[in-house]
Amino acid sequence: AQKITQTQPGMFVQEKEAVTLDCTYDTSDPSYGLFWYKQPSSGEMIFLIYQGSYDQQNATEGRYSLNFQKARKSANLVISASQLGDSAMYFCAMREVQGAQKLVFGQGTRLTINP
Amino acid sequence: DTAVSQTPKYLVTQMGNDKSIKCEQNLGHDTMYWYKQDSKKFLKIMFSYNNKELIINETVPNRFSPKSPDKAHLNLHINSLELGDSAVYFCASSQLDGNTIYFGEGSWLTVV
């Protein structure tokens, strides 16, 4: 069964520093996708970045990059030059290509950016 | 133009009532979902529809009944509401094998 683990319940970072949010996953499906979402205090779920299991390069979207280490089954989100507006909950999620196509989420990490 | 829109955003109702949450997407996606986020922020899938056909039903009580009149709409009807149904319900959509899944803004349901 697919499983996502985020081991950092909360993180505190100084503004302008880079931050890495950890995510490990478990699946027996060779084909899967990994997602990161941001949930600010207003509550909406904002899609940040996607990594396919067969993608050769790490995904990047602006200040967001995904450090994908397939052998270690990790998909950490890196935010460069953090900003106060980055303070939010961050969720890692996975979807297996075979089977039910459902998105399974980790527990989330609450990121706080300090001025 | 909101891509995935849900109504209502806030809903306060008494135990035992029946309520519905509506969802519409204008992205042309073929797959829609309902997720529930509990008080600890944990997100779990409830249902998924592909081209109006149910493809996922994750052991949700049968008081919850999704209805998809067409590809662009997936509504959630809840009968006999219980205190434990209080949560945020998110609608989402994607192409079936797509690499982006877009969420609506959420519907905050409070059962008193």
PDB file of all heavy atoms in Angstrom, chain A residues 35 37-39 43-47 93 103 105, chain B residues 2-6 23 27 29 33-36 43-44 89-94 100-106:
ATOM      1  N   PHE A  35       3.713  14.856  -5.522  1.00  0.00           N
ATOM      2  CA  PHE A  35       3.168  16.212  -5.546  1.00  0.00           C
ATOM      3  C   PHE A  35       3.493  16.929  -4.239  1.00  0.00           C
ATOM      4  O   PHE A  35       3.558  16.300  -3.176  1.00  0.00           O
ATOM      5  CB  PHE A  35       1.633  16.180  -5.665  1.00  0.00           C
ATOM      6  CG  PHE A  35       1.090  15.473  -6.883  1.00  0.00           C
ATOM      7  CD1 PHE A  35       1.135  14.084  -6.983  1.00  0.00           C
ATOM      8  CD2 PHE A  35       0.503  16.188  -7.912  1.00  0.00           C
ATOM      9  CE1 PHE A  35       0.618  13.430  -8.096  1.00  0.00           C
ATOM     10  CE2 PHE A  35      -0.024  15.538  -9.023  1.00  0.00           C
ATOM     11  CZ  PHE A  35       0.034  14.167  -9.109  1.00  0.00           C
ATOM     12  N   TYR A  37       1.931  20.359  -2.107  1.00  0.00           N
ATOM     13  CA  TYR A  37       0.897  21.385  -2.009  1.00  0.00           C
ATOM     14  C   TYR A  37       1.190  22.294  -0.828  1.00  0.00           C
ATOM     15  O   TYR A  37       1.745  21.866   0.184  1.00  0.00           O
ATOM     16  CB  TYR A  37      -0.489  20.756  -1.807  1.00  0.00           C
ATOM     17  CG  TYR A  37      -1.060  20.131  -3.049  1.00  0.00           C
ATOM     18  CD1 TYR A  37      -0.747  18.814  -3.388  1.00  0.00           C
ATOM     19  CD2 TYR A  37      -1.898  20.853  -3.894  1.00  0.00           C
ATOM     20  CE1 TYR A  37      -1.253  18.238  -4.538  1.00  0.00           C
ATOM     21  CE2 TYR A  37      -2.413  20.277  -5.048  1.00  0.00           C
ATOM     22  CZ  TYR A  37      -2.082  18.980  -5.358  1.00  0.00           C
ATOM     23  OH  TYR A  37      -2.589  18.406  -6.498  1.00  0.00           O
ATOM     24  N   LYS A  38       0.769  23.548  -0.973  1.00  0.00           N
ATOM     25  CA  LYS A  38       0.880  24.542   0.098  1.00  0.00           C
ATOM     26  C   LYS A  38      -0.529  24.903   0.564  1.00  0.00           C
ATOM     27  O   LYS A  38      -1.428  25.121  -0.262  1.00  0.00           O
ATOM     28  CB  LYS A  38       1.574  25.797  -0.444  1.00  0.00           C
ATOM     29  CG  LYS A  38       1.603  26.993   0.487  1.00  0.00           C
ATOM     30  CD  LYS A  38       2.240  28.186  -0.212  1.00  0.00           C
ATOM     31  CE  LYS A  38       2.259  29.414   0.669  1.00  0.00           C
ATOM     32  NZ  LYS A  38       2.851  30.597  -0.029  1.00  0.00           N
ATOM     33  N   GLN A  39      -0.718  24.933   1.875  1.00  0.00           N
ATOM     34  CA  GLN A  39      -2.013  25.343   2.422  1.00  0.00           C
ATOM     35  C   GLN A  39      -1.796  26.511   3.377  1.00  0.00           C
ATOM     36  O   GLN A  39      -1.409  26.314   4.530  1.00  0.00           O
ATOM     37  CB  GLN A  39      -2.720  24.188   3.133  1.00  0.00           C
ATOM     38  CG  GLN A  39      -4.142  24.537   3.561  1.00  0.00           C
ATOM     39  CD  GLN A  39      -4.881  23.377   4.181  1.00  0.00           C
ATOM     40  OE1 GLN A  39      -4.316  22.587   4.930  1.00  0.00           O
ATOM     41  NE2 GLN A  39      -6.170  23.267   3.883  1.00  0.00           N
ATOM     42  N   GLY A  43      -6.637  28.529   3.972  1.00  0.00           N
ATOM     43  CA  GLY A  43      -7.219  27.198   3.806  1.00  0.00           C
ATOM     44  C   GLY A  43      -7.175  26.563   2.447  1.00  0.00           C
ATOM     45  O   GLY A  43      -7.370  25.344   2.342  1.00  0.00           O
ATOM     46  N   GLU A  44      -6.928  27.306   1.397  1.00  0.00           N
ATOM     47  CA  GLU A  44      -6.955  26.668   0.076  1.00  0.00           C
ATOM     48  C   GLU A  44      -5.719  25.809  -0.138  1.00  0.00           C
ATOM     49  O   GLU A  44      -4.700  26.003   0.499  1.00  0.00           O
ATOM     50  CB  GLU A  44      -7.073  27.723  -1.044  1.00  0.00           C
ATOM     51  CG  GLU A  44      -5.848  28.586  -1.239  1.00  0.00           C
ATOM     52  CD  GLU A  44      -5.885  29.862  -0.431  1.00  0.00           C
ATOM     53  OE1 GLU A  44      -6.459  29.854   0.673  1.00  0.00           O
ATOM     54  OE2 GLU A  44      -5.297  30.866  -0.893  1.00  0.00           O
ATOM     55  N   MET A  45      -5.828  24.841  -1.019  1.00  0.00           N
ATOM     56  CA  MET A  45      -4.728  23.938  -1.358  1.00  0.00           C
ATOM     57  C   MET A  45      -4.128  24.411  -2.675  1.00  0.00           C
ATOM     58  O   MET A  45      -4.780  24.380  -3.718  1.00  0.00           O
ATOM     59  CB  MET A  45      -5.238  22.500  -1.511  1.00  0.00           C
ATOM     60  CG  MET A  45      -5.742  21.900  -0.225  1.00  0.00           C
ATOM     61  SD  MET A  45      -4.410  21.490   0.897  1.00  0.00           S
ATOM     62  CE  MET A  45      -3.664  20.100   0.064  1.00  0.00           C
ATOM     63  N   ILE A  46      -2.863  24.798  -2.621  1.00  0.00           N
ATOM     64  CA  ILE A  46      -2.196  25.356  -3.794  1.00  0.00           C
ATOM     65  C   ILE A  46      -1.167  24.355  -4.306  1.00  0.00           C
ATOM     66  O   ILE A  46      -0.244  23.978  -3.583  1.00  0.00           O
ATOM     67  CB  ILE A  46      -1.503  26.693  -3.445  1.00  0.00           C
ATOM     68  CG1 ILE A  46      -2.533  27.689  -2.898  1.00  0.00           C
ATOM     69  CG2 ILE A  46      -0.790  27.270  -4.658  1.00  0.00           C
ATOM     70  CD1 ILE A  46      -1.919  28.920  -2.261  1.00  0.00           C
ATOM     71  N   PHE A  47      -1.318  23.925  -5.554  1.00  0.00           N
ATOM     72  CA  PHE A  47      -0.374  22.995  -6.163  1.00  0.00           C
ATOM     73  C   PHE A  47       0.948  23.714  -6.404  1.00  0.00           C
ATOM     74  O   PHE A  47       0.989  24.819  -6.937  1.00  0.00           O
ATOM     75  CB  PHE A  47      -0.940  22.489  -7.496  1.00  0.00           C
ATOM     76  CG  PHE A  47       0.060  21.757  -8.345  1.00  0.00           C
ATOM     77  CD1 PHE A  47       0.446  20.468  -8.026  1.00  0.00           C
ATOM     78  CD2 PHE A  47       0.627  22.374  -9.442  1.00  0.00           C
ATOM     79  CE1 PHE A  47       1.369  19.797  -8.805  1.00  0.00           C
ATOM     80  CE2 PHE A  47       1.554  21.714 -10.226  1.00  0.00           C
ATOM     81  CZ  PHE A  47       1.925  20.424  -9.910  1.00  0.00           C
ATOM     82  N   ALA A  93       2.427  14.465  -1.365  1.00  0.00           N
ATOM     83  CA  ALA A  93       1.404  13.485  -1.741  1.00  0.00           C
ATOM     84  C   ALA A  93       1.924  12.621  -2.882  1.00  0.00           C
ATOM     85  O   ALA A  93       2.815  13.022  -3.638  1.00  0.00           O
ATOM     86  CB  ALA A  93       0.114  14.190  -2.160  1.00  0.00           C
ATOM     87  N   LEU A 103      -4.815  10.186  -4.681  1.00  0.00           N
ATOM     88  CA  LEU A 103      -3.707  10.945  -4.127  1.00  0.00           C
ATOM     89  C   LEU A 103      -3.675  10.685  -2.623  1.00  0.00           C
ATOM     90  O   LEU A 103      -4.650  10.937  -1.929  1.00  0.00           O
ATOM     91  CB  LEU A 103      -3.945  12.426  -4.419  1.00  0.00           C
ATOM     92  CG  LEU A 103      -2.775  13.393  -4.397  1.00  0.00           C
ATOM     93  CD1 LEU A 103      -1.730  12.996  -5.415  1.00  0.00           C
ATOM     94  CD2 LEU A 103      -3.266  14.801  -4.676  1.00  0.00           C
ATOM     95  N   PHE A 105      -1.853  11.588   0.959  1.00  0.00           N
ATOM     96  CA  PHE A 105      -1.125  12.702   1.541  1.00  0.00           C
ATOM     97  C   PHE A 105      -0.319  12.290   2.763  1.00  0.00           C
ATOM     98  O   PHE A 105      -0.696  11.369   3.510  1.00  0.00           O
ATOM     99  CB  PHE A 105      -2.102  13.798   1.967  1.00  0.00           C
ATOM    100  CG  PHE A 105      -2.634  14.614   0.817  1.00  0.00           C
ATOM    101  CD1 PHE A 105      -3.739  14.183   0.111  1.00  0.00           C
ATOM    102  CD2 PHE A 105      -2.013  15.792   0.453  1.00  0.00           C
ATOM    103  CE1 PHE A 105      -4.237  14.933  -0.956  1.00  0.00           C
ATOM    104  CE2 PHE A 105      -2.498  16.543  -0.603  1.00  0.00           C
ATOM    105  CZ  PHE A 105      -3.610  16.111  -1.306  1.00  0.00           C
TER     106      PHE A 105
ATOM    107  N   THR B   2     -12.409  31.127 -11.495  1.00  0.00           N
ATOM    108  CA  THR B   2     -11.995  30.046 -10.605  1.00  0.00           C
ATOM    109  C   THR B   2     -12.031  28.716 -11.331  1.00  0.00           C
ATOM    110  O   THR B   2     -13.024  28.376 -11.962  1.00  0.00           O
ATOM    111  CB  THR B   2     -12.927  29.997  -9.379  1.00  0.00           C
ATOM    112  OG1 THR B   2     -12.950  31.282  -8.784  1.00  0.00           O
ATOM    113  CG2 THR B   2     -12.440  28.969  -8.400  1.00  0.00           C
ATOM    114  N   ALA B   3     -10.949  27.924 -11.213  1.00  0.00           N
ATOM    115  CA  ALA B   3     -10.853  26.674 -11.952  1.00  0.00           C
ATOM    116  C   ALA B   3     -11.742  25.590 -11.331  1.00  0.00           C
ATOM    117  O   ALA B   3     -12.467  24.905 -12.027  1.00  0.00           O
ATOM    118  CB  ALA B   3      -9.403  26.220 -11.992  1.00  0.00           C
ATOM    119  N   VAL B   4     -11.650  25.440  -9.996  1.00  0.00           N
ATOM    120  CA  VAL B   4     -12.486  24.489  -9.273  1.00  0.00           C
ATOM    121  C   VAL B   4     -13.214  25.289  -8.201  1.00  0.00           C
ATOM    122  O   VAL B   4     -12.578  25.880  -7.340  1.00  0.00           O
ATOM    123  CB  VAL B   4     -11.649  23.372  -8.616  1.00  0.00           C
ATOM    124  CG1 VAL B   4     -12.566  22.379  -7.918  1.00  0.00           C
ATOM    125  CG2 VAL B   4     -10.770  22.679  -9.646  1.00  0.00           C
ATOM    126  N   SER B   5     -14.513  25.328  -8.298  1.00  0.00           N
ATOM    127  CA  SER B   5     -15.283  26.134  -7.355  1.00  0.00           C
ATOM    128  C   SER B   5     -16.244  25.259  -6.568  1.00  0.00           C
ATOM    129  O   SER B   5     -16.875  24.355  -7.118  1.00  0.00           O
ATOM    130  CB  SER B   5     -16.041  27.244  -8.081  1.00  0.00           C
ATOM    131  OG  SER B   5     -16.897  26.688  -9.057  1.00  0.00           O
ATOM    132  N   GLN B   6     -16.328  25.547  -5.276  1.00  0.00           N
ATOM    133  CA  GLN B   6     -17.199  24.799  -4.376  1.00  0.00           C
ATOM    134  C   GLN B   6     -18.152  25.764  -3.681  1.00  0.00           C
ATOM    135  O   GLN B   6     -17.757  26.876  -3.328  1.00  0.00           O
ATOM    136  CB  GLN B   6     -16.409  24.116  -3.251  1.00  0.00           C
ATOM    137  CG  GLN B   6     -15.355  23.189  -3.649  1.00  0.00           C
ATOM    138  CD  GLN B   6     -14.586  22.635  -2.456  1.00  0.00           C
ATOM    139  OE1 GLN B   6     -13.370  22.526  -2.529  1.00  0.00           O
ATOM    140  NE2 GLN B   6     -15.248  22.253  -1.386  1.00  0.00           N
ATOM    141  N   CYS B  23     -19.762  21.188  -6.464  1.00  0.00           N
ATOM    142  CA  CYS B  23     -18.434  21.430  -7.023  1.00  0.00           C
ATOM    143  C   CYS B  23     -18.521  21.469  -8.538  1.00  0.00           C
ATOM    144  O   CYS B  23     -19.178  20.620  -9.162  1.00  0.00           O
ATOM    145  CB  CYS B  23     -17.454  20.356  -6.592  1.00  0.00           C
ATOM    146  SG  CYS B  23     -15.787  20.587  -7.280  1.00  0.00           S
ATOM    147  N   LEU B  27     -11.949  23.278 -16.140  1.00  0.00           N
ATOM    148  CA  LEU B  27     -10.646  22.956 -16.704  1.00  0.00           C
ATOM    149  C   LEU B  27     -10.715  21.892 -17.790  1.00  0.00           C
ATOM    150  O   LEU B  27      -9.691  21.540 -18.367  1.00  0.00           O
ATOM    151  CB  LEU B  27      -9.710  22.472 -15.579  1.00  0.00           C
ATOM    152  CG  LEU B  27      -9.436  23.515 -14.500  1.00  0.00           C
ATOM    153  CD1 LEU B  27      -8.808  22.867 -13.278  1.00  0.00           C
ATOM    154  CD2 LEU B  27      -8.538  24.611 -15.036  1.00  0.00           C
ATOM    155  N   HIS B  29     -11.258  18.808 -17.270  1.00  0.00           N
ATOM    156  CA  HIS B  29     -10.727  17.553 -16.725  1.00  0.00           C
ATOM    157  C   HIS B  29     -11.775  16.443 -16.766  1.00  0.00           C
ATOM    158  O   HIS B  29     -12.982  16.710 -16.749  1.00  0.00           O
ATOM    159  CB  HIS B  29     -10.261  17.754 -15.279  1.00  0.00           C
ATOM    160  CG  HIS B  29      -9.016  18.578 -15.179  1.00  0.00           C
ATOM    161  ND1 HIS B  29      -8.645  19.218 -14.014  1.00  0.00           N
ATOM    162  CD2 HIS B  29      -8.050  18.852 -16.073  1.00  0.00           C
ATOM    163  CE1 HIS B  29      -7.502  19.852 -14.209  1.00  0.00           C
ATOM    164  NE2 HIS B  29      -7.124  19.647 -15.451  1.00  0.00           N
ATOM    165  N   TYR B  33     -12.712  14.597  -7.651  1.00  0.00           N
ATOM    166  CA  TYR B  33     -12.497  13.936  -6.360  1.00  0.00           C
ATOM    167  C   TYR B  33     -13.179  14.722  -5.245  1.00  0.00           C
ATOM    168  O   TYR B  33     -13.327  15.946  -5.326  1.00  0.00           O
ATOM    169  CB  TYR B  33     -11.000  13.892  -6.024  1.00  0.00           C
ATOM    170  CG  TYR B  33     -10.071  13.443  -7.125  1.00  0.00           C
ATOM    171  CD1 TYR B  33      -9.656  14.328  -8.115  1.00  0.00           C
ATOM    172  CD2 TYR B  33      -9.568  12.142  -7.163  1.00  0.00           C
ATOM    173  CE1 TYR B  33      -8.785  13.939  -9.115  1.00  0.00           C
ATOM    174  CE2 TYR B  33      -8.691  11.745  -8.159  1.00  0.00           C
ATOM    175  CZ  TYR B  33      -8.309  12.651  -9.131  1.00  0.00           C
ATOM    176  OH  TYR B  33      -7.439  12.250 -10.129  1.00  0.00           O
ATOM    177  N   TRP B  34     -13.464  14.014  -4.161  1.00  0.00           N
ATOM    178  CA  TRP B  34     -13.782  14.643  -2.887  1.00  0.00           C
ATOM    179  C   TRP B  34     -12.781  14.158  -1.854  1.00  0.00           C
ATOM    180  O   TRP B  34     -12.549  12.945  -1.716  1.00  0.00           O
ATOM    181  CB  TRP B  34     -15.193  14.308  -2.406  1.00  0.00           C
ATOM    182  CG  TRP B  34     -16.248  15.170  -3.029  1.00  0.00           C
ATOM    183  CD1 TRP B  34     -17.166  14.810  -3.960  1.00  0.00           C
ATOM    184  CD2 TRP B  34     -16.479  16.559  -2.755  1.00  0.00           C
ATOM    185  NE1 TRP B  34     -17.950  15.880  -4.294  1.00  0.00           N
ATOM    186  CE2 TRP B  34     -17.566  16.961  -3.578  1.00  0.00           C
ATOM    187  CE3 TRP B  34     -15.897  17.504  -1.912  1.00  0.00           C
ATOM    188  CZ2 TRP B  34     -18.064  18.267  -3.578  1.00  0.00           C
ATOM    189  CZ3 TRP B  34     -16.392  18.797  -1.912  1.00  0.00           C
ATOM    190  CH2 TRP B  34     -17.465  19.169  -2.732  1.00  0.00           C
ATOM    191  N   TYR B  35     -12.192  15.129  -1.115  1.00  0.00           N
ATOM    192  CA  TYR B  35     -11.283  14.832  -0.014  1.00  0.00           C
ATOM    193  C   TYR B  35     -11.847  15.442   1.256  1.00  0.00           C
ATOM    194  O   TYR B  35     -12.514  16.477   1.229  1.00  0.00           O
ATOM    195  CB  TYR B  35      -9.899  15.439  -0.271  1.00  0.00           C
ATOM    196  CG  TYR B  35      -9.053  14.654  -1.229  1.00  0.00           C
ATOM    197  CD1 TYR B  35      -9.203  14.804  -2.602  1.00  0.00           C
ATOM    198  CD2 TYR B  35      -8.101  13.750  -0.760  1.00  0.00           C
ATOM    199  CE1 TYR B  35      -8.427  14.080  -3.480  1.00  0.00           C
ATOM    200  CE2 TYR B  35      -7.328  13.019  -1.643  1.00  0.00           C
ATOM    201  CZ  TYR B  35      -7.494  13.188  -2.993  1.00  0.00           C
ATOM    202  OH  TYR B  35      -6.737  12.460  -3.875  1.00  0.00           O
ATOM    203  N   LYS B  36     -11.508  14.813   2.389  1.00  0.00           N
ATOM    204  CA  LYS B  36     -11.913  15.324   3.697  1.00  0.00           C
ATOM    205  C   LYS B  36     -10.655  15.661   4.485  1.00  0.00           C
ATOM    206  O   LYS B  36      -9.724  14.846   4.548  1.00  0.00           O
ATOM    207  CB  LYS B  36     -12.734  14.271   4.450  1.00  0.00           C
ATOM    208  CG  LYS B  36     -13.185  14.702   5.839  1.00  0.00           C
ATOM    209  CD  LYS B  36     -13.978  13.590   6.520  1.00  0.00           C
ATOM    210  CE  LYS B  36     -14.424  14.005   7.910  1.00  0.00           C
ATOM    211  NZ  LYS B  36     -15.196  12.928   8.590  1.00  0.00           N
ATOM    212  N   LEU B  43      -5.511  14.867   5.322  1.00  0.00           N
ATOM    213  CA  LEU B  43      -6.342  14.825   4.115  1.00  0.00           C
ATOM    214  C   LEU B  43      -6.512  13.401   3.633  1.00  0.00           C
ATOM    215  O   LEU B  43      -5.534  12.682   3.446  1.00  0.00           O
ATOM    216  CB  LEU B  43      -5.661  15.617   2.990  1.00  0.00           C
ATOM    217  CG  LEU B  43      -5.900  17.111   2.982  1.00  0.00           C
ATOM    218  CD1 LEU B  43      -4.701  17.832   2.426  1.00  0.00           C
ATOM    219  CD2 LEU B  43      -7.135  17.446   2.184  1.00  0.00           C
ATOM    220  N   LYS B  44      -7.756  13.021   3.385  1.00  0.00           N
ATOM    221  CA  LYS B  44      -8.016  11.652   2.943  1.00  0.00           C
ATOM    222  C   LYS B  44      -9.047  11.661   1.830  1.00  0.00           C
ATOM    223  O   LYS B  44     -10.044  12.379   1.910  1.00  0.00           O
ATOM    224  CB  LYS B  44      -8.510  10.808   4.109  1.00  0.00           C
ATOM    225  CG  LYS B  44      -8.524   9.305   3.823  1.00  0.00           C
ATOM    226  CD  LYS B  44      -8.847   8.531   5.079  1.00  0.00           C
ATOM    227  CE  LYS B  44      -8.608   7.043   4.886  1.00  0.00           C
ATOM    228  NZ  LYS B  44      -9.340   6.429   3.793  1.00  0.00           N
ATOM    229  N   TYR B  89     -14.140  19.983   3.521  1.00  0.00           N
ATOM    230  CA  TYR B  89     -14.295  19.082   2.377  1.00  0.00           C
ATOM    231  C   TYR B  89     -13.762  19.796   1.138  1.00  0.00           C
ATOM    232  O   TYR B  89     -14.170  20.900   0.812  1.00  0.00           O
ATOM    233  CB  TYR B  89     -15.767  18.691   2.202  1.00  0.00           C
ATOM    234  CG  TYR B  89     -16.246  17.830   3.344  1.00  0.00           C
ATOM    235  CD1 TYR B  89     -16.719  18.404   4.523  1.00  0.00           C
ATOM    236  CD2 TYR B  89     -16.183  16.439   3.267  1.00  0.00           C
ATOM    237  CE1 TYR B  89     -17.132  17.618   5.584  1.00  0.00           C
ATOM    238  CE2 TYR B  89     -16.594  15.643   4.314  1.00  0.00           C
ATOM    239  CZ  TYR B  89     -17.071  16.247   5.475  1.00  0.00           C
ATOM    240  OH  TYR B  89     -17.463  15.459   6.534  1.00  0.00           O
ATOM    241  N   PHE B  90     -12.828  19.116   0.479  1.00  0.00           N
ATOM    242  CA  PHE B  90     -12.214  19.685  -0.717  1.00  0.00           C
ATOM    243  C   PHE B  90     -12.631  18.889  -1.946  1.00  0.00           C
ATOM    244  O   PHE B  90     -12.544  17.654  -1.971  1.00  0.00           O
ATOM    245  CB  PHE B  90     -10.686  19.630  -0.622  1.00  0.00           C
ATOM    246  CG  PHE B  90     -10.078  20.655   0.264  1.00  0.00           C
ATOM    247  CD1 PHE B  90      -9.727  20.336   1.567  1.00  0.00           C
ATOM    248  CD2 PHE B  90      -9.839  21.946  -0.193  1.00  0.00           C
ATOM    249  CE1 PHE B  90      -9.153  21.285   2.404  1.00  0.00           C
ATOM    250  CE2 PHE B  90      -9.267  22.904   0.632  1.00  0.00           C
ATOM    251  CZ  PHE B  90      -8.922  22.571   1.932  1.00  0.00           C
ATOM    252  N   CYS B  91     -13.018  19.612  -2.954  1.00  0.00           N
ATOM    253  CA  CYS B  91     -13.222  19.047  -4.276  1.00  0.00           C
ATOM    254  C   CYS B  91     -11.944  19.265  -5.077  1.00  0.00           C
ATOM    255  O   CYS B  91     -11.219  20.248  -4.855  1.00  0.00           O
ATOM    256  CB  CYS B  91     -14.401  19.759  -4.947  1.00  0.00           C
ATOM    257  SG  CYS B  91     -14.755  19.214  -6.613  1.00  0.00           S
ATOM    258  N   ALA B  92     -11.635  18.345  -5.983  1.00  0.00           N
ATOM    259  CA  ALA B  92     -10.444  18.485  -6.824  1.00  0.00           C
ATOM    260  C   ALA B  92     -10.729  17.894  -8.193  1.00  0.00           C
ATOM    261  O   ALA B  92     -11.675  17.119  -8.366  1.00  0.00           O
ATOM    262  CB  ALA B  92      -9.244  17.783  -6.180  1.00  0.00           C
ATOM    263  N   SER B  93      -9.882  18.268  -9.164  1.00  0.00           N
ATOM    264  CA  SER B  93     -10.050  17.689 -10.497  1.00  0.00           C
ATOM    265  C   SER B  93      -8.698  17.527 -11.174  1.00  0.00           C
ATOM    266  O   SER B  93      -7.725  18.207 -10.834  1.00  0.00           O
ATOM    267  CB  SER B  93     -10.968  18.558 -11.363  1.00  0.00           C
ATOM    268  OG  SER B  93     -10.303  19.723 -11.820  1.00  0.00           O
ATOM    269  N   SER B  94      -8.662  16.613 -12.131  1.00  0.00           N
ATOM    270  CA  SER B  94      -7.456  16.374 -12.921  1.00  0.00           C
ATOM    271  C   SER B  94      -7.833  15.591 -14.164  1.00  0.00           C
ATOM    272  O   SER B  94      -8.957  15.103 -14.294  1.00  0.00           O
ATOM    273  CB  SER B  94      -6.428  15.571 -12.114  1.00  0.00           C
ATOM    274  OG  SER B  94      -6.828  14.220 -12.009  1.00  0.00           O
ATOM    275  N   THR B 100      -1.119  17.247 -12.674  1.00  0.00           N
ATOM    276  CA  THR B 100      -1.568  18.337 -11.811  1.00  0.00           C
ATOM    277  C   THR B 100      -2.980  18.027 -11.357  1.00  0.00           C
ATOM    278  O   THR B 100      -3.822  17.621 -12.149  1.00  0.00           O
ATOM    279  CB  THR B 100      -1.545  19.694 -12.536  1.00  0.00           C
ATOM    280  OG1 THR B 100      -2.147  19.547 -13.813  1.00  0.00           O
ATOM    281  CG2 THR B 100      -0.132  20.225 -12.685  1.00  0.00           C
ATOM    282  N   ILE B 101      -3.198  18.181 -10.093  1.00  0.00           N
ATOM    283  CA  ILE B 101      -4.521  17.999  -9.510  1.00  0.00           C
ATOM    284  C   ILE B 101      -4.859  19.306  -8.815  1.00  0.00           C
ATOM    285  O   ILE B 101      -4.143  19.739  -7.902  1.00  0.00           O
ATOM    286  CB  ILE B 101      -4.534  16.832  -8.509  1.00  0.00           C
ATOM    287  CG1 ILE B 101      -4.135  15.533  -9.222  1.00  0.00           C
ATOM    288  CG2 ILE B 101      -5.919  16.691  -7.884  1.00  0.00           C
ATOM    289  CD1 ILE B 101      -3.989  14.343  -8.299  1.00  0.00           C
ATOM    290  N   TYR B 102      -5.934  19.941  -9.266  1.00  0.00           N
ATOM    291  CA  TYR B 102      -6.306  21.244  -8.733  1.00  0.00           C
ATOM    292  C   TYR B 102      -7.433  21.093  -7.720  1.00  0.00           C
ATOM    293  O   TYR B 102      -8.394  20.363  -7.955  1.00  0.00           O
ATOM    294  CB  TYR B 102      -6.748  22.179  -9.858  1.00  0.00           C
ATOM    295  CG  TYR B 102      -5.620  22.574 -10.763  1.00  0.00           C
ATOM    296  CD1 TYR B 102      -5.454  21.972 -12.005  1.00  0.00           C
ATOM    297  CD2 TYR B 102      -4.686  23.526 -10.368  1.00  0.00           C
ATOM    298  CE1 TYR B 102      -4.406  22.323 -12.842  1.00  0.00           C
ATOM    299  CE2 TYR B 102      -3.634  23.878 -11.190  1.00  0.00           C
ATOM    300  CZ  TYR B 102      -3.508  23.276 -12.425  1.00  0.00           C
ATOM    301  OH  TYR B 102      -2.462  23.616 -13.247  1.00  0.00           O
ATOM    302  N   PHE B 103      -7.291  21.806  -6.623  1.00  0.00           N
ATOM    303  CA  PHE B 103      -8.271  21.750  -5.547  1.00  0.00           C
ATOM    304  C   PHE B 103      -9.132  23.009  -5.540  1.00  0.00           C
ATOM    305  O   PHE B 103      -8.671  24.096  -5.902  1.00  0.00           O
ATOM    306  CB  PHE B 103      -7.572  21.629  -4.187  1.00  0.00           C
ATOM    307  CG  PHE B 103      -7.079  20.243  -3.890  1.00  0.00           C
ATOM    308  CD1 PHE B 103      -5.951  19.743  -4.525  1.00  0.00           C
ATOM    309  CD2 PHE B 103      -7.747  19.427  -2.985  1.00  0.00           C
ATOM    310  CE1 PHE B 103      -5.492  18.459  -4.267  1.00  0.00           C
ATOM    311  CE2 PHE B 103      -7.294  18.148  -2.716  1.00  0.00           C
ATOM    312  CZ  PHE B 103      -6.169  17.667  -3.355  1.00  0.00           C
ATOM    313  N   GLY B 104     -10.358  22.827  -5.091  1.00  0.00           N
ATOM    314  CA  GLY B 104     -11.209  23.960  -4.800  1.00  0.00           C
ATOM    315  C   GLY B 104     -10.781  24.608  -3.493  1.00  0.00           C
ATOM    316  O   GLY B 104      -9.829  24.158  -2.834  1.00  0.00           O
ATOM    317  N   GLU B 105     -11.486  25.645  -3.090  1.00  0.00           N
ATOM    318  CA  GLU B 105     -11.090  26.405  -1.902  1.00  0.00           C
ATOM    319  C   GLU B 105     -11.520  25.744  -0.596  1.00  0.00           C
ATOM    320  O   GLU B 105     -11.160  26.216   0.461  1.00  0.00           O
ATOM    321  CB  GLU B 105     -11.664  27.812  -1.976  1.00  0.00           C
ATOM    322  CG  GLU B 105     -11.060  28.641  -3.110  1.00  0.00           C
ATOM    323  CD  GLU B 105     -11.541  30.068  -3.093  1.00  0.00           C
ATOM    324  OE1 GLU B 105     -12.656  30.313  -2.585  1.00  0.00           O
ATOM    325  OE2 GLU B 105     -10.815  30.951  -3.587  1.00  0.00           O
ATOM    326  N   GLY B 106     -12.275  24.687  -0.699  1.00  0.00           N
ATOM    327  CA  GLY B 106     -12.706  23.982   0.508  1.00  0.00           C
ATOM    328  C   GLY B 106     -14.071  24.458   1.007  1.00  0.00           C
ATOM    329  O   GLY B 106     -14.454  25.615   0.802  1.00  0.00           O
TER     330      GLY B 106
END
